[in-house]
Amino acid sequence: MAEEDSQPLPEELSDAGIEVAGETAKEAAKILPSIDNAKILKGETYTYHSPIPKSIQEDPKGEVILGVDEAGRGPVLGPMVYAVAYCLKSDNPMLREHKFDDSKKLTHTLRTNLLQTLTTPDTTLHRNLGWSTISLSPRDISSGMLRSSSSSTYNLNAQAFDATAALITAVLAGGVNVREIYVDTVGTASTYQSKLLKLFPNIAITVSKKADSIYPIVSAASVCAKVTRDAAIEVLVPEGEEIGSGYPGDEKTKGWLKRGMDPVFGWEVGMARFSWATAKDMLEGGGKSGGVGGGVEVVWPGEDGAEQTITGLWGGAAGGGWYGRSVHGEF
Amino acid sequence: MLEARLEQAGVLKKVVDAIRDLVQDINFDCNDSGIALQAMDNSHVALVSMLLKSEGFSPYRLDRNIALGINLTSLTKVLRCAQNEDILTLKAEDTPDTLSLIFENAENDRISEYELKLMDIDQEHLGIPETEYAAAISMPSAEFQRICRDLIQLSDSVTIEASKEGVKFSCSGDIGSGSVTLRQQNNVDKPDLSTKIELTEPVTLTFSLKYLVNFCKASALSSVVTLSLSNEVPLLVEYAMGSGFVRFYLAPKIGED
C-alpha cells in the first residue's frame, strides 16, 4: 500500500480538474459528519462514529462484516485518516451494486457522491452501512514519531495499528456482531493479522494486499477515509493556495512548505507533519542538512535537563566580572 | 611578524583533532608565552584552553601579539597534508590575512607550503579562577578513555566518586548500570600507568559522558590525564605536554539523584 500511496494522483487531478474537485470537496466538507473544522485546525486527533445502521439494529444477531482502510499515510500534509465500514454479510452484494471500489480507482466526484448518499437518511446505503473514522492529526503523528528517546518513539505503523484497533473496539462496544474483518495491509500481512487476532480472537480476520479492490466492504472504508481526508485538506488549505498532491516528492508541495514556513515555528500544527524528512530538513536548514531550508537553528540550553554552565559557575565565583580579561593573565 | 617552528607537526595535528569537535572557529592568540587558545562550546557547558609554550618552538619569533582567527575544519584540511614527523613552521604578518604553514620532510627534502585564509573572530575570554580542588586524580589517559567509551554505551552521564580508597566511575541507564573502580596504585617500572589520588575531601559529581568522550580525543597528546574535582566548580581534565597543555573544563550536572 505504501508504494501505491507514494505516487501522486495525476489521474484524479486531470479527470475533474482541480477547481471542480476543490468545489465538490468544499461542499462535502460542509455536510460531512466526519469533519470537525475546529479540531482539524487546532491539530487535534478525533473520531467519528456513524449511528448503527437500521438493518443491523433490526437484526442484532445477524453476521456483520467490517472493512478497514486508510487515506493519507504518505503525504507530508494533513491528517492520516483510518476508516472502518461495516454491514450485514447478506448486504455485501448491495455494495457491489453501488460500485464501491478502491478509492483511488474512483473519481473524486464518484467518491464524494457515494459518501453523500451514505450520509443521506432513507437511502439504501444509509440504512445498511455503518462507518467510523479516526483522523490522526499531523501534530499527534509527528509528536509520536519525534519523541526524544528512540526507545519511546511511537512510529507510524504503531499509531496506525492502535487507530485501527480503537475503531474496531468501538464498533464492537456498540453491540455490533462483527464476525469477519478485512484489512488492507500495512507492512507484512501475517504479523499484522496475528496482532489483530490477539485483540479480537473470536473474529475471522483477513489482512491482504489490495483488499480495497478485492473486498467491497474495504472499498467502502477506503472511500470514507479518502473523502474525509480530502475534505480535511480543504478545511486546512486557505483559498487559492496551491499545495500540489501533498506528497513529499511533489515540487508544488515542497514549494508550498517553503513559502509558508515560519523560520522558528515551522507550520500550523494541524497542517504539516514535522516528522517527515522533507519538513524536518527544511526547518532544520542551516544545520547538518546543509542549509536546505531557511530554518533558524534553535539551541535548547536546558535540553540535557540538568546541565550547569561554565559561565554560570565561574561567573558566580568571580563575582560576575569575568568579561574581557585576557586568558594570558593565567600564564 | 610571527615565525614559530615546531619539530613535529604531529603535536599541532593532535591538538586540533582534540578540540575541533568542541569548537569551530577560534582565535589562536600568539604572545610571548607562546600560542594559546580558549573557547567554550555553544552551550557553555565545556571550555577548552590550550597552550603551546614558546619554549616548545625553535625558534619562536614574535614582534607583536597577534590573534589568528582560524576555522578548525579548514586548518584540519591543511594539517592533513603534513606527516607527523614533518617539521612545521607557522608564519604570519603583524596584521595577518593569512597564515603560512610550511612542512619540511627531512627524509626526502620535500618542502610543502600552504596558506590558510584567516577570519575575524570576536571572542571573549573567560578568566579561569584559581581553584583548590578537593580531589586530583592522575591516571593513564588510555584508561580514562576506555572507561568513558564503555560507560557511554549504558548512559549519557557518569558519576565520578573520589575517595581515599580510589575513584569510582558509575552510570545507570535504560538497559542497566555499570561501574569501574580504580584503586590507588604506584607502578614503579612504568610511572605512566600509575593511578594517584590527592584528596582533601571526598567528592562525588556527575558529568555528561558525551563531552568526556570528546575530551578523550586528546589522549594522543599525553599518556597521563589529570582529573581535578570540587563541588560547585567545573571539572578540570588536563593533558600535559612537554611544553604546554590542553585543559578541558566541564560543568557538572545537577539534580541527578
Side-chain angles (χ1 to χ4, degrees), chain A residues 233-291:
Chain A
I233 291 290
E234 287 301 322
V235 171
L236 286 164
V237 178
E239 198 90 28
E241 279 192 25
E242 176 67 82
I243 63 157
S245 63
Y247 283 88
D250 188 323
E251 285 306 322
K252 280 184 188 163
T253 303
K254 277 193 216 163
W256 182 87
L257 279 171
K258 256 185 208 145
R259 281 194 306 278
M261 186 181 81
D262 179 287
V264 177
F265 298 104
W267 303 269
E268 294 292 332
V269 286
M271 188 65 194
R273 302 182 190 168
F274 287 59
S275 51
W276 260 234
T278 313
K280 234 184 346 196
D281 289 349
M282 269 184 212
L283 192 52
E284 274 172 8
K288 46 181 191 274
S289 47

Side-chain angles (χ1 to χ4, degrees), chain A residues 149 151 297 299 301 304-315 317-318 322-328 330-331, chain B residues 29 31 36 38 40 43-46 51 124-129 174 208 232 234 245 247 249-254:
Chain A
S149 114
S151 58
E297 191 192 352
V299 182
D304 283 339
E307 216 117 29
Q308 304 178 79
T309 62
I310 294 270
T311 35
L313 289 165
W314 281 342
W322 50 267
Y323 273 105
R325 220 173 92 197
S326 165
V327 69
H328 306 308
E330 190 193 352
F331 314 127
Chain B
D29 295 305
N31 63 19
Q38 190 206 65
M40 262 187 287
S43 56
H44 289 200
V45 170
L51 174 66
E124 297 278 12
H125 282 304
L126 198 58
I128 299 169
D174 290 344
S208 156
E232 301 298 314
F245 58 76
R247 291 176 184 157
Y249 295 86
L250 179 62
K253 288 185 156 191
I254 42 171

Side-chain angles (χ1 to χ4, degrees), chain A residues 1-9 11-12 15 69-72 101-108 111 184 212 219 222-223 226 247:
Chain A
M1 183 170 56
E3 299 83 47
E4 280 171 47
D5 238 12
S6 57
Q7 285 167 17
L9 310 165
E11 82 282 0
E12 178 197 51
D15 72 351
D69 199 12
E70 123 312 313
D101 201 339
D102 174 4
S103 67
K104 291 188 204 76
K105 291 190 197 148
L106 300 171
T107 63
H108 185 90
R111 286 195 303 257
D184 201 293
D212 52 352
S219 311
S222 147
V223 168
K226 181 74 177 143
Y247 283 88

Side-chain angles (χ1 to χ4, degrees), chain B:
Chain B
M1 62 166 285
L2 163 79
E3 185 178 343
R5 188 165 167 275
L6 198 59
E7 286 296 331
Q8 297 224 301
V11 174
L12 190 63
K13 285 173 75 130
K14 287 172 192 164
V15 166
V16 172
D17 270 344
I19 61 176
R20 69 189 166 98
D21 286 326
L22 218 54
V23 285
Q24 284 80 45
D25 298 328
I26 195 167
N27 276 331
F28 284 68
D29 295 305
C30 309
N31 63 19
D32 288 342
S33 11
I35 301 180
L37 63 79
Q38 190 206 65
M40 262 187 287
D41 78 311
N42 283 335
S43 56
H44 289 200
V45 170
L47 179 142
V48 57
S49 163
M50 186 262 340
L51 174 66
L52 293 171
K53 286 184 193 155
S54 51
E55 301 96 272
F57 299 91
S58 56
Y60 184 84
R61 282 182 43 204
L62 183 74
D63 299 332
R64 51 171 289 210
N65 294 357
I66 52 174
L68 307 167
I70 288 177
N71 172 282
L72 290 183
T73 310
S74 310
L75 180 59
T76 303
K77 284 180 185 160
V78 173
L79 287 175
R80 279 214 188 101
C81 308
Q83 287 175 288
N84 281 343
E85 313 75 42
D86 284 359
I87 297 167
L88 163 69
T89 308
L90 302 172
K91 280 187 184 169
E93 303 294 325
D94 277 348
T95 48
D97 295 322
T98 57
L99 169 70
S100 307
L101 298 104
I102 299 143
F103 312 135
E104 293 169 69
N105 188 300
E107 222 169 274
N108 52 12
D109 273 341
R110 182 185 62 222
I111 298 179
S112 328
E113 297 187 50
Y114 293 86
E115 295 259 308
L116 186 65
K117 287 182 188 161
L118 298 175
M119 48 206 288
D120 274 327
I121 301 168
D122 193 16
Q123 209 172 23
E124 297 278 12
H125 282 304
L126 198 58
I128 299 169
E130 288 280 323
T131 308
E132 292 283 332
Y133 289 98
I137 302 142
S138 73
M139 62 190 283
S141 58
E143 187 71 49
F144 180 56
Q145 181 167 36
R146 188 202 154 107
I147 291 169
C148 293
R149 285 189 181 164
D150 287 350
L151 297 185
I152 202 170
Q153 300 187 77
L154 274 77
S155 170
D156 50 15
S157 52
V158 60
T159 300
I160 304 179
E161 194 178 339
S163 64
K164 263 193 218 105
E165 289 72 41
V167 54
K168 184 178 178 190
F169 302 85
S170 56
C171 73
S172 84
D174 290 344
I175 61 162
S177 60
S179 74
V180 179
T181 307
L182 294 179
R183 298 194 184 290
Q184 250 208 98
Q185 59 126 348
N186 199 5
N187 193 321
V188 185
D189 297 332
K190 294 176 184 153
D192 282 0
L193 297 180
S194 303
T195 301
K196 289 180 225 157
I197 302 170
E198 284 170 40
L199 195 81
T200 51
E201 57 171 334
V203 52
T204 303
L205 288 165
T206 301
F207 302 97
S208 156
L209 274 165
K210 187 182 75 186
Y211 285 98
L212 292 178
V213 165
N214 241 329
F215 298 169
C216 284
K217 295 209 174 102
S219 299
L221 288 167
S222 167
S223 56
V224 176
V225 61
T226 312
L227 313 179
S228 305
L229 305 96
S230 269
N231 283 319
E232 301 298 314
V233 296
L235 162 75
L236 165 60
V237 180
E238 174 166 2
Y239 295 88
M241 299 176 280
S243 49
F245 58 76
V246 173
R247 291 176 184 157
F248 298 100
Y249 295 86
L250 179 62
K253 288 185 156 191
I254 42 171
E256 272 294 309
D257 17 44

Side-chain angles (χ1 to χ4, degrees), chain A residues 51-316:
Chain A
I52 293 173
K54 282 209 182 82
S55 63
I56 295 178
Q57 286 178 9
E58 285 159 10
D59 182 8
K61 293 228 164 63
E63 294 195 352
V64 168
I65 55 172
L66 177 147
V68 183
D69 199 12
E70 123 312 313
R73 194 180 149 81
V76 60
L77 299 177
M80 172 167 85
V81 179
Y82 268 79
V84 300
Y86 53 97
C87 67
L88 288 172
K89 198 177 176 186
S90 52
D91 279 333
N92 200 19
M94 175 273 302
L95 294 173
R96 285 215 193 277
E97 281 161 29
H98 278 91
K99 298 207 168 54
F100 272 109
D101 201 339
D102 174 4
S103 67
K104 291 188 204 76
K105 291 190 197 148
L106 300 171
T107 63
H108 185 90
T109 325
L110 263 173
R111 286 195 303 257
T112 313
N113 287 346
L114 273 172
L115 213 65
Q116 239 156 12
T117 320
L118 174 57
T119 49
T120 312
D122 301 326
T123 60
T124 328
L125 270 181
H126 186 76
R127 257 197 315 279
N128 296 305
L129 189 65
W131 59 292
S132 303
T133 59
I134 177 164
S135 302
L136 298 160
S137 77
R139 180 192 72 183
D140 293 348
I141 293 172
S142 303
S143 59
M145 289 171 75
L146 294 173
R147 285 187 193 166
S148 59
S149 114
S150 57
S151 58
S152 69
T153 49
Y154 187 24
N155 70 33
L156 196 64
N157 280 347
Q159 295 187 40
F161 180 83
D162 292 348
T164 308
L167 286 180
I168 298 173
T169 309
V171 171
L172 292 173
V176 178
N177 181 26
V178 177
R179 302 313 317 155
E180 295 168 19
I181 294 177
Y182 299 89
V183 188
D184 201 293
T185 183
V186 175
T188 320
S190 54
T191 53
Y192 200 72
Q193 184 154 13
S194 62
K195 272 172 89 181
L196 275 178
L197 265 171
K198 256 182 216 162
L199 285 175
F200 311 107
N202 300 321
I203 303 177
I205 293 169
T206 309
V207 179
S208 98
K209 284 193 174 139
K210 307 229 182 264
D212 52 352
S213 46
I214 302 171
Y215 307 103
I217 193 68
V218 181
S219 311
S222 147
V223 168
C224 296
K226 181 74 177 143
V227 176
T228 301
R229 170 167 157 91
D230 286 350
I233 291 290
E234 287 301 322
V235 171
L236 286 164
V237 178
E239 198 90 28
E241 279 192 25
E242 176 67 82
I243 63 157
S245 63
Y247 283 88
D250 188 323
E251 285 306 322
K252 280 184 188 163
T253 303
K254 277 193 216 163
W256 182 87
L257 279 171
K258 256 185 208 145
R259 281 194 306 278
M261 186 181 81
D262 179 287
V264 177
F265 298 104
W267 303 269
E268 294 292 332
V269 286
M271 188 65 194
R273 302 182 190 168
F274 287 59
S275 51
W276 260 234
T278 313
K280 234 184 346 196
D281 289 349
M282 269 184 212
L283 192 52
E284 274 172 8
K288 46 181 191 274
S289 47
V292 188
V296 174
E297 191 192 352
V298 180
V299 182
W300 305 96
E303 196 171 27
D304 283 339
E307 216 117 29
Q308 304 178 79
T309 62
I310 294 270
T311 35
L313 289 165
W314 281 342

